[in-house]
Amino acid sequence: MVIYNTDYIKILYHEQHKMVETVWLGFAGSKDYRAALDQYIDVLQTHEVRRWLGDQRQARVVRPVDQQWTVRTWAPVFVTLIGGIKKMARVKSKDVAALISSDNMRHDIDFSKLPLEFRDFEDYDKAKAWLLE
């Protein structure tokens, strides 16, 4: 089921697997980027989520001001809502600048302290297969 769909992101919920799939489709300006991340919060509040697949293959760079907002404002809320998630997978972007900005945020958020498995993948099919094991 498609939950949110724009030119820059599509968010799907797969009921049978209790899985959210976020598919970044390109660059999102500050307003659009933040609206998309607010949808992450909304989906966690309205759906039972056990798995999360972040497909960032087509993602583009996140502006530094939005990286700071993500880490300082958005992430503390997101982290309090992901307690039911067992596994998260990220399919890395092919864009070097996008990968650097994503890695910077991931490092600052530090998912290692959360009670879930988090893995990075280069390949979408391998990421999805791991989530569904």
Side-chain angles (χ1 to χ4, degrees):
M1 156 177 47
V2 176
I3 293 175
Y4 189 71
N5 191 17
T6 68
D7 291 340
Y8 52 88
I9 191 171
K10 183 184 287 190
I11 301 175
L12 304 108
Y13 180 68
H14 304 282
E15 174 74 35
Q16 70 275 23
H17 301 297
K18 308 287 187 236
M19 183 173 77
V20 170
E21 181 174 358
T22 59
V23 183
W24 285 93
L25 303 168
F27 177 76
S30 291
K31 181 181 174 185
D32 295 330
Y33 171 80
R34 293 176 187 206
L37 264 60
D38 285 342
Q39 290 297 313
Y40 285 22
I41 302 294
D42 187 58
V43 76
L44 287 169
Q45 293 173 329
T46 58
H47 294 81
E48 183 181 358
V49 181
R50 297 287 176 250
R51 297 169 182 89
W52 192 288
L53 176 57
D55 182 354
Q56 298 181 359
R57 290 175 293 174
Q58 297 178 64
R60 295 297 175 255
V61 68
V62 176
R63 292 178 177 150
V65 67
D66 294 320
Q67 291 179 44
Q68 291 173 356
W69 173 85
T70 301
V71 171
R72 294 181 186 155
T73 304
W74 176 82
V77 176
F78 182 73
V79 167
T80 65
L81 297 172
I82 61 173
I85 296 178
K86 304 299 181 207
K87 291 181 170 182
M88 292 182 86
R90 174 180 72 158
V91 184
K92 294 181 181 182
S93 177
K94 305 289 185 196
D95 181 271
V96 174
L99 186 57
I100 291 169
S101 63
S102 179
D103 283 347
N104 287 342
M105 289 182 288
R106 181 171 172 236
H107 174 16
D108 289 342
I109 295 170
D110 190 13
F111 285 99
S112 69
K113 295 178 183 169
L114 300 175
L116 57 84
E117 290 184 77
F118 185 101
R119 290 194 188 164
D120 282 322
F121 292 85
E122 304 286 334
D123 181 87
Y124 172 87
D125 292 330
K126 288 180 181 177
K128 192 168 183 179
W130 175 76
L131 280 173
L132 297 176
E133 289 178 342

